[in-house]
Amino acid sequence: MDSEYVKLYTASGWLNGIMKVTPESICWRDCTVNSPNILEIGSKSIFAAILSKEQKNAFKSVKEAAAHYEPNMKSIYFTIFTVSKVDSNLDFSARNKKRPSCDSWTFQASSEHEANAFVQKIHEIIRPNYKSKPHNILVLLNPNSGKKKSNDVFNTFCKPIFKLSDVNYSLYETTSPEFAKKFMETEDLSKYTTFVSVSGDGLLNQMINGLLSRKDWEKYRKIPFGVVPSGTGNGLAWTLGYGWPELASISIAKGMIAPMDMMAITRANSDPLFCFLSVTWGYVADTDIESEKLRMLGSLRLEAYGILRLLRLRKYEGRIHYLPVEEQSLDKPKIANNEVSEHKTLYATENANASTNSLIDQYVKTQGQHDALSHGLTLPLGGQFTHKPSPLGMVRSPTDSAYNSLTNDSDINNTINGKKENEPVPTSAPAAYNAIKDYLVANQIRTPVEISKLPKDWVTVEGPFTSVTAVKVPWLTKTFLVSDKASIVDGCIDLIWCGGNVSQLKLLPYITDSVKGGFMNKNGINYSKVKAIILEPTGHRSLSKKKSEKKKNKHPSTNSTSTTSISNSKLSNSSSNLEPVKIPGNKGILSFDGEVAPIDYLKIECIPKLINVITNPWFHPFENETKSKKAIVSGHKSGYNNSPISRSASVVSFY
């Protein structure tokens, strides 16, 4: 089917036109003589196509559209559902403010056969093998997360979108803190194509750790994880470009995948685990965990309590040791094998249940997707009609020359340098951890650390600290851009720390206006890209003093003078008689992916591309790094006010 005569319904009635469907877009052109009217919809914007009744008025909501959907309907009418996205060229301060909108476009074909043929062809550009490989999702929902609105979120957004998109799902509500982990450890996962949490970041952390604890974890680790945000911070959802639950639901239905690094956490007195978001100690952890008492405020609790905590800033005694990434390796984004990888769009239904015989699979070669028509929707000007524009006509997506790919297992192997003498690991360690523990560069180092025995490339920073944060994502909440240099797939950890005598005044702009970006290695906020971290908190906590330290030694990679930093290459002949420190459990807070953990010695190491995640259709893994260099605000084109296609006849809300 190259092109066929199809009518499009607008506020001015039916318009005769010709429709063409390609893998990149749907293009409808008005047949009226000398008419410039064209409707062009990029494939990334389309999330559903159904046979429908004659629809002269827009559906009031996606929920209403789903209620009218009859899978076995026969009709000459069909409706396409599309979603908008805010322009990715907007600066960080505007990135998460504009809520996505949804449109529905109703067409009339010449016969039932042609209408059905169009719908089937559109299905194939939504998801490959749309009918032959059903999308079957495991959904775990925490009814108590955030403002306890998870069930409302699922019923309002997920359920109708999944129905319109022909997505099957199995829904389970969590009943205990360990429910998700135990479920993923013990249940048969072979029938699922995607694992989804409806909650905050904590539930997803449990799900991932549960899967990686299975003996057959390699068999399932390529099945992607998605998250419908209904918690307080929702850092991963905002990082993956779908902090709004409607866009998250659509992204899951479309099934686009990207690989994601994980942080392996080895603790001296507890079982190892994995984190995808952050490990925090000090100010950020205190704000996150202690603000639970203000849960009724939702995400505002973090901002409100963050200011209160800043007024009485605490400091913590301890040390951090880290292995920095060589500067030359950060000249450009790296995906694998020290080369920039080409990407293509991949889906949750592709090879989702394929079993792997080894941790090292064959690298999946990918290629960029043609982007000329992937931006969403174009509404050219002209014609005798005057209508309000569709919001889809005002958006563009980022280029995706480095778009999604399946996990490159060779990246995991890049950490292998031969087995080394390790500290004992508890027998209850996750199976995935046992598979990689011999190759972790920090595992050869015993705690408490004797600085003289550290490899020369390691750097030690002596406290006190007000905050220490290790992150794999740029966003921890909708409004907190913790690091504009972070990426989920760069094979590094972003280490951020502040010394114990940094002033509240210097920290205030970062806390209240982080979305501006550009705060790293300025005003006492120290930053480094690292491969591994050893954190040694002593647990001694006190209020910060305004007086400066008498002795200030600059860190070799920053201009900050708020902490004492020691290059281990200069201490190779020194000795240390450190004795094990008994860490009081009631002093200070550690937070793993937003969940409280007891104070402990930690080893944190990046494991490249260990799992896959669902992304939004326009996701770019290095978007924050590239956009932070130059903020561009794109305005609306005034001519759209004369668009021939009526929003009033096509728009459909989510409410």
Side-chain angles (χ1 to χ4, degrees):
M1 180 188 296
D2 293 331
S3 59
E4 296 287 343
Y5 287 100
V6 175
K7 294 181 179 179
L8 169 65
Y9 189 76
T10 72
S12 299
W14 291 100
L15 295 179
N16 292 311
I18 296 176
M19 175 178 280
K20 183 176 182 179
V21 179
T22 70
E24 291 81 22
S25 72
I26 296 171
C27 183
W28 177 91
R29 183 182 296 273
D30 192 349
C31 286
T32 305
V33 177
N34 297 325
S35 172
N37 296 340
I38 299 174
L39 172 66
E40 192 171 47
I41 306 174
S43 60
K44 293 181 181 180
S45 294
I46 306 167
F47 69 90
I50 63 172
L51 292 171
S52 57
K53 299 177 182 178
E54 183 178 1
Q55 188 71 22
K56 292 187 177 181
N57 297 306
F59 293 113
K60 294 180 180 179
S61 67
V62 170
K63 195 171 184 178
E64 179 190 1
H68 285 81
Y69 174 42
E70 299 176 13
N72 298 319
M73 178 184 291
K74 294 182 179 180
S75 177
I76 62 173
Y77 302 98
F78 61 96
T79 300
I80 300 171
F81 294 87
T82 58
V83 66
S84 69
K85 178 184 178 296
V86 68
D87 196 327
S88 67
N89 284 325
L90 292 177
D91 62 14
F92 290 131
S93 62
R95 185 69 58 85
N96 298 334
K97 289 183 178 180
K98 185 176 180 180
R99 193 155 197 153
S101 60
C102 175
D103 278 2
S104 63
W105 310 88
T106 299
F107 300 87
Q108 178 183 337
S110 58
S111 67
E112 292 181 358
H113 174 76
E114 286 188 2
N116 188 62
F118 269 115
V119 169
Q120 290 185 10
K121 195 170 184 67
I122 295 168
H123 282 170
E124 288 300 312
I125 69 175
I126 296 174
R127 293 195 306 269
N129 305 312
Y130 189 96
K131 291 295 184 182
S132 61
K133 292 185 178 180
H135 211 4
N136 193 23
I137 295 175
L138 168 65
V139 181
L140 298 188
L141 181 150
N142 179 5
N144 297 314
S145 66
K147 291 185 176 181
K148 300 185 178 181
K149 299 291 186 180
S150 294
N151 278 302
D152 291 341
V153 166
F154 183 83
N155 291 325
T156 302
F157 304 112
C158 305
K159 193 172 181 179
I161 289 170
F162 289 174
K163 182 177 180 181
L164 289 174
S165 304
D166 290 323
V167 171
N168 303 315
Y169 63 87
S170 299
L171 175 64
Y172 299 87
E173 287 193 13
T174 61
T175 57
S176 66
E178 293 292 316
F179 178 93
K181 185 174 185 296
K182 292 178 180 178
F183 188 99
M184 297 297 291
E185 283 179 338
T186 59
E187 290 295 314
D188 179 10
L189 305 178
S190 59
K191 64 181 178 180
Y192 299 113
T193 58
T194 306
F195 306 130
V196 172
S197 72
V198 182
S199 183
D201 295 305
L203 180 62
L204 188 63
N205 176 285
Q206 291 183 40
M207 293 176 67
I208 293 173
N209 276 281
L211 182 136
L212 295 177
S213 295
R214 299 172 65 105
K215 293 181 180 180
D216 58 353
W217 67 278
E218 284 193 72
K219 179 180 179 181
Y220 298 114
R221 75 180 183 87
K222 285 188 177 181
I223 299 177
F225 288 86
V227 55
V228 178
S230 64
T232 301
N234 306 309
L236 184 63
W238 289 111
T239 291
L240 297 175
Y242 52 66
W244 302 105
E246 55 268 40
L247 187 53
S249 303
I250 288 170
S251 300
I252 291 165
K254 288 180 71 68
M256 292 184 175
I257 301 173
M260 185 169 77
D261 303 339
M262 294 290 291
M263 292 185 289
I265 313 298
T266 308
R267 297 176 284 179
N269 303 309
S270 306
D271 293 337
L273 52 77
F274 294 92
C275 290
F276 58 83
L277 193 73
S278 64
V279 176
T280 60
W281 177 49
Y283 173 81
V284 175
D286 291 351
T287 300
D288 187 11
I289 303 303
E290 293 177 357
S291 65
E292 285 284 336
K293 65 188 76 172
L294 304 176
R295 179 177 286 270
M296 73 292 296
L297 297 178
S299 60
L300 289 177
R301 85 178 208 218
L302 299 173
E303 298 176 26
Y305 193 82
I307 297 298
L308 293 175
R309 188 70 272 152
L310 186 63
L311 295 176
R312 290 179 60 82
L313 196 61
R314 297 163 175 158
K315 65 179 180 180
Y316 294 83
E317 297 294 336
R319 299 190 304 180
I320 51 178
H321 317 270
Y322 65 89
L323 180 61
V325 176
E326 295 179 4
E327 291 186 5
Q328 58 266 31
S329 67
L330 297 176
D331 291 340
K332 60 181 179 179
K334 300 285 193 302
I335 302 290
N337 301 327
N338 297 322
E339 296 179 359
V340 176
S341 172
E342 295 180 341
H343 290 67
K344 70 175 180 179
T345 302
L346 297 175
Y347 296 79
T349 53
E350 290 187 10
N351 299 321
N353 292 320
S355 175
T356 57
N357 295 322
S358 170
L359 184 63
I360 313 304
D361 292 336
Q362 183 179 2
Y363 176 59
V364 181
K365 292 184 178 180
T366 58
Q367 58 184 14
Q369 184 185 42
H370 183 261
D371 192 60
L373 300 176
S374 66
H375 51 263
L377 187 67
T378 301
L379 297 175
L381 311 180
Q384 57 182 330
F385 309 106
T386 300
H387 301 292
K388 294 180 180 179
S390 163
L392 288 173
M394 300 178 184
V395 299
R396 292 289 186 270
S397 72
T399 59
D400 52 330
S401 59
Y403 196 55
N404 304 328
S405 72
L406 282 175
T407 298
N408 175 6
D409 294 323
S410 63
D411 275 5
I412 299 175
N413 215 24
N414 286 341
T415 64
I416 298 177
N417 296 314
K419 293 187 178 182
K420 300 173 182 179
E421 182 182 356
N422 306 318
E423 289 193 64
V425 176
T427 56
S428 57
Y433 184 88
N434 287 329
I436 64 173
K437 69 180 189 300
D438 292 335
Y439 312 117
L440 300 180
V441 296
N443 249 16
Q444 63 177 313
I445 304 170
R446 293 184 175 274
T447 54
V449 173
E450 294 187 41
I451 296 178
S452 62
K453 294 184 179 181
L454 278 174
K456 65 178 182 179
D457 293 332
W458 282 71
V459 175
T460 293
V461 183
E462 298 280 358
F465 305 97
T466 58
S467 183
V468 177
T469 303
V471 295
K472 271 303 307 168
V473 298
W475 299 91
L476 287 187
T477 72
K478 177 183 177 181
T479 58
F480 187 25
L481 181 64
V482 62
S483 171
D484 54 13
K485 301 177 184 296
S487 169
I488 66 168
V489 71
D490 62 357
C492 308
I493 300 170
D494 283 39
L495 175 61
I496 305 163
W497 74 95
C498 300
N501 288 287
V502 63
S503 70
Q504 289 97 326
L505 190 61
K506 286 185 176 181
L507 287 180
L508 184 62
Y510 176 57
I511 301 304
T512 61
D513 207 11
S514 65
V515 292
K516 287 185 176 180
F519 289 98
M520 299 299 99
N521 284 332
K522 296 178 182 178
N523 297 325
I525 302 171
N526 302 275
Y527 168 85
S528 185
K529 283 275 188 185
V530 304
K531 297 178 182 178
I533 304 165
I534 298 175
L535 175 62
E536 294 183 304
T538 65
H540 301 300
R541 184 176 72 182
S542 60
L543 291 177
S544 294
K545 297 179 181 179
K546 294 182 179 180
K547 294 181 180 180
S548 300
E549 293 179 357
K550 294 181 179 180
K551 183 179 180 180
K552 297 180 179 180
N553 295 325
K554 291 186 178 181
H555 187 279
S557 61
T558 179
N559 293 325
S560 173
T561 60
S562 59
T563 57
T564 302
S565 179
I566 307 169
S567 173
N568 294 308
S569 60
K570 298 179 180 180
L571 297 175
S572 57
N573 296 322
S574 65
S575 62
S576 174
N577 295 318
L578 288 175
E579 296 295 331
V581 178
K582 184 178 180 181
I583 302 174
N586 61 347
K587 298 289 186 179
I589 297 172
L590 279 174
S591 176
F592 298 157
D593 286 356
E595 298 297 313
V596 66
I599 288 291
D600 207 341
Y601 292 148
L602 302 180
K603 296 178 181 179
I604 310 169
E605 191 153 342
C606 183
I607 311 301
K609 299 184 179 181
L610 185 58
I611 66 169
N612 288 328
V613 289
I614 296 290
T615 72
N616 89 357
W618 299 272
F619 178 74
H620 190 292
F622 299 99
E623 182 178 27
N624 289 292
E625 182 174 315
T626 56
K627 296 302 178 186
S628 64
K629 297 177 181 178
K630 183 179 181 181
I632 304 172
V633 179
S634 61
H636 293 170
K637 294 183 179 180
S638 59
Y640 277 121
N641 290 327
N642 297 317
S643 170
I645 308 300
S646 172
R647 175 180 179 180
S648 62
S650 63
V651 73
V652 52
S653 73
F654 285 94
Y655 308 101

